[in-house]
Amino acid sequence: MGFLIALIIVLILILTIIIAIYVAYLKVRRKVRDFSQAAFGTPSITQGAEQLRQEYAITPKSVSGMTQLLLPKITNDFPDFNYDEMKERANNVLTSYLLSINDKTASRLQDGNEEIQNQLENHLRMLEMKDLHEHFEQIRLHQTEIHQYRQFQGRQIITFQTAFECYHYITDKERQVVDGSRDMKYQTKYNIDMVYIQDRNLMQNEYDTALGVNCPNCGAPVSSLTAKFCEYCGTGIIEFNIRAWSFCNVEEIN
């Protein structure tokens, strides 16, 4: 008899614990649903997270635009600076740079100096070594603004910042996606650096030798700002060709 009573007591305690756990679960679930409803507009937190992911995929990044502040200073230093033209060039450089990666060839890059060419070729070489293919598809630019204007010895650098969307993903040699998504848009922004060489003699490191301009006829590098003729083919070189803006770097900003 005593054993039966003890068993009944144990069963009652177990039932009480189960009921308490269930009540706590209901309270937690209600709080989660209330939070999800307030945060995402839906009682399902999973559905809300997916909705947030979808919104993130279609919401353009905001750029750190300083155009209105920096453009007067730039045009004061360079009265012939054409903002609309340079902005278009920056957009073309970024688009052709990414399409070169997509097509696995550096030949699509439409503008830029030796440094940016090396940057692109190194990126392609790294992907090739890993048997990877990086895809940039359906690129759509949203906004491009001047982000920075920096002055160093012998050169000036203007940085454009561009927000855009595309389908970005990486596949392996079996064409399986290892990063990104074929179906979800990717919102990001890039910095595009444009350099103006004033005096190569003032350059501070050996990489700066890649920042000059080339002969418009044979493509040979122009080694002196005072040169009147190309030392390789003899073509006349005007000052505008020597003192020219050239794109030197493309970098994604997280």
Side-chain angles (χ1 to χ4, degrees), residues 4-201:
L4 182 60
I5 294 174
L7 180 60
I8 293 173
I9 293 174
V10 170
L11 292 176
I12 292 174
L13 289 175
I14 293 175
L15 181 61
T16 302
I17 293 173
I18 292 174
I19 293 173
I21 292 174
Y22 181 69
V23 170
Y25 163 74
L26 291 178
K27 289 182 179 180
V28 171
R29 188 177 70 171
R30 184 169 60 250
K31 289 182 179 180
V32 170
R33 293 181 63 182
D34 291 345
F35 170 80
S36 179
Q37 187 69 44
F40 308 118
T42 173
S44 170
I45 195 167
T46 302
Q47 183 180 353
E50 179 60 23
Q51 179 178 311
L52 184 64
R53 183 167 173 259
Q54 293 284 348
E55 290 178 356
Y56 181 81
I58 63 174
T59 303
K61 295 272 190 176
S62 59
V63 299
S64 302
M66 300 289 288
T67 303
Q68 292 186 351
L69 179 64
L70 296 177
L71 186 56
K73 180 172 178 56
I74 294 171
T75 53
N76 182 67
D77 294 341
F78 303 94
D80 295 330
F81 183 86
N82 188 317
Y83 169 69
D84 292 330
E85 177 185 343
M86 295 302 185
K87 176 180 173 180
E88 184 66 20
R89 283 182 64 190
N91 288 336
N92 290 337
V93 165
L94 176 60
T95 302
S96 61
Y97 185 94
L98 298 180
L99 290 178
S100 291
I101 296 175
N102 183 77
D103 296 345
K104 297 195 285 189
T105 174
S107 62
R108 292 200 62 168
L109 185 60
Q110 299 177 355
D111 200 348
N113 58 30
E114 184 179 347
E115 184 177 1
I116 197 172
Q117 287 281 351
N118 290 339
Q119 179 186 4
L120 174 58
E121 290 170 1
N122 288 338
H123 188 85
L124 291 173
R125 193 175 300 112
M126 178 271 296
L127 291 170
E128 183 180 6
M129 291 174 59
K130 296 181 178 180
D131 282 327
L132 298 176
H133 182 189
E134 188 170 7
H135 303 259
F136 293 90
E137 300 172 355
Q138 299 184 35
I139 297 172
R140 180 187 175 192
L141 304 183
H142 292 300
Q143 184 181 7
T144 300
E145 300 287 345
I146 294 175
H147 172 58
Q148 284 183 317
Y149 177 45
R150 292 164 289 167
Q151 297 179 317
F152 300 95
Q153 286 187 326
R155 63 178 178 174
Q156 281 79 23
I157 296 178
I158 295 174
T159 299
F160 287 92
Q161 190 168 104
T162 298
F164 72 96
E165 68 180 44
C166 65
Y167 289 96
H168 176 234
Y169 57 97
I170 298 175
T171 54
D172 59 19
K173 60 181 178 180
E174 305 298 331
R175 298 186 178 180
Q176 298 298 312
V177 176
V178 296
D179 190 26
S181 171
R182 282 192 174 101
D183 305 315
M184 186 74 68
K185 287 184 177 179
Y186 177 66
Q187 302 286 343
T188 189
K189 56 186 178 180
Y190 272 76
N191 282 351
I192 309 101
D193 290 335
M194 185 171 64
V195 65
Y196 180 92
I197 301 299
Q198 280 190 322
D199 189 348
R200 187 171 296 168
N201 293 326

